[in-house]
Structure formats: C-alpha cells, structure tokens
C-alpha cells in the first residue's frame, strides 16, 4: 500500500485550513521521475555523484529539493507539474471520505491560492517520497 499523508494548511492566508491528501507515486513512476530529475540536474551542471545518479529516489534525496531550482524552467516544469498528480483535495474536513483531484487552472484560479502553499506542498510531496532514505543520515 502506498503511503499517504493529510496536510492541513496552517499558515495565515486564503489557504488557511484547507486539507490536501498526498499519495506516494507507484514505485516505477517514482523511479522514472527521479532518474529524469537526476539527468536534468546533471545537464544543468549540478554535481551529482555516480552513486546518487544510480540510486533513483535515494539520489534525489541526497541532492535535495533545492537542487531542482538549478534547472532550466523548460526542463523543470514537467517534473514539477508531475508532482501535482500526487495531490488530491479534501474540500470539506467534516466529510473526510470525500476527496477529489486538485484543480489547477493558471488562468482562472485553482484550489491553491497562496504561493507559500505551493512550496509547502512540494516540500511535503518530496519528503513523502524520500524520508525513508534520509532517516539513516
């Protein structure tokens, strides 16, 4: 069973109190995502050890989410967009069994209304996929 996590936004703002459910990617998809990210980081000149390059999500854990900021936007965007496939919305905390896909429409608005929430959720998605590798360090 894949790991899931409920994230409630506690920062003041338009997203305060919203709940999001993050679900771990299937193993094969996560491995492909990690390898694409590692290759993109290597192309951007980020120093990635051979061990990290060969170890998928563990390598990404070692490089860290901040390393993705070194990428050219055109290379980073598909990786960043794919992260949102892990997120669903719990629109009413009183009915936690009701969840739906995240609405993302850059022109008309979406479920996330604060930039800080975007970064917070990205960090939580990243940690959900890499915490296992970081616990031994």
């Amino acid at each position: 069973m894949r790991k899931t996590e409920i994230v409630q936004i506690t920062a003041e703002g338009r997203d305060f109190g919203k709940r999001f459910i993050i679900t771990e990617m299937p193993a094969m998809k996560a491995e492909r995502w990690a390898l694409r990210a590692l290759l993109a980081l290597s192309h951007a000149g980020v120093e990635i050890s051979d061990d990290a390059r060969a170890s998928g999500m563990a390598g990404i854990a070692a490089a860290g989410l901040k390393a993705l900021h070194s990428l050219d936007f055109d290379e980073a965007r598909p990786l960043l967009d794919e992260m949102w496939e892990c997120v669903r919305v719990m629109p009413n905390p009183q009915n936690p069994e009701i969840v739906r896909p995240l609405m993302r429409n850059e022109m008309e608005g979406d479920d996330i209304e604060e930039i800080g929430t975007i970064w917070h959720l990205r960090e939580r998605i990243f940690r959900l996929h890499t915490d296992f590798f970081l616990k031994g360090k």
Side-chain angles (χ1 to χ4, degrees):
M1 180 180 261
R2 290 185 277 165
K3 295 183 287 185
T4 62
E5 176 183 351
I6 296 173
V7 177
Q8 182 170 349
I9 304 304
T10 58
E12 292 297 322
R14 293 168 288 193
D15 293 331
F16 179 81
K18 290 182 181 178
R19 290 185 180 201
F20 300 91
I21 299 172
I22 301 171
T23 302
E24 180 182 29
M25 290 178 196
M28 297 295 279
K29 184 173 186 161
E31 185 68 5
R32 278 193 310 273
W33 185 93
L35 292 173
R36 287 183 11 244
L38 286 167
L39 288 169
L41 289 169
S42 291
H43 293 149
V46 174
E47 196 70 31
I48 304 289
S49 72
D50 289 339
D51 288 342
R53 208 173 292 135
S55 58
M57 275 295 185
I60 288 292
L65 182 60
K66 289 184 180 173
L68 293 176
H69 297 180
S70 303
L71 296 180
D72 176 70
F73 181 72
D74 291 333
E75 275 194 290
R77 184 173 185 160
L79 294 166
L80 296 172
D81 286 349
E82 198 169 326
M83 292 176 88
W84 294 121
E85 294 174 17
C86 299
V87 181
R88 295 178 53 86
V89 177
M90 183 187 299
N92 182 352
Q94 278 64 41
N95 282 327
E97 67 279 353
I98 298 174
V99 294
R100 62 170 172 73
L102 182 68
M103 290 186 347
R104 297 184 319 132
N105 185 328
E106 293 176 8
M107 302 311 233
E108 297 176 22
D110 52 22
D111 287 314
I112 300 171
E113 300 180 78
E114 300 286 351
I115 294 171
T117 302
I118 293 170
W119 288 106
H120 180 69
L121 289 171
R122 283 197 194 283
E123 180 183 335
R124 298 295 284 268
I125 294 164
F126 185 78
R127 282 196 322 204
L128 183 71
H129 286 85
T130 60
D131 267 359
F132 172 80
F133 301 110
L134 299 174
K135 286 181 182 173
K137 296 190 182 252

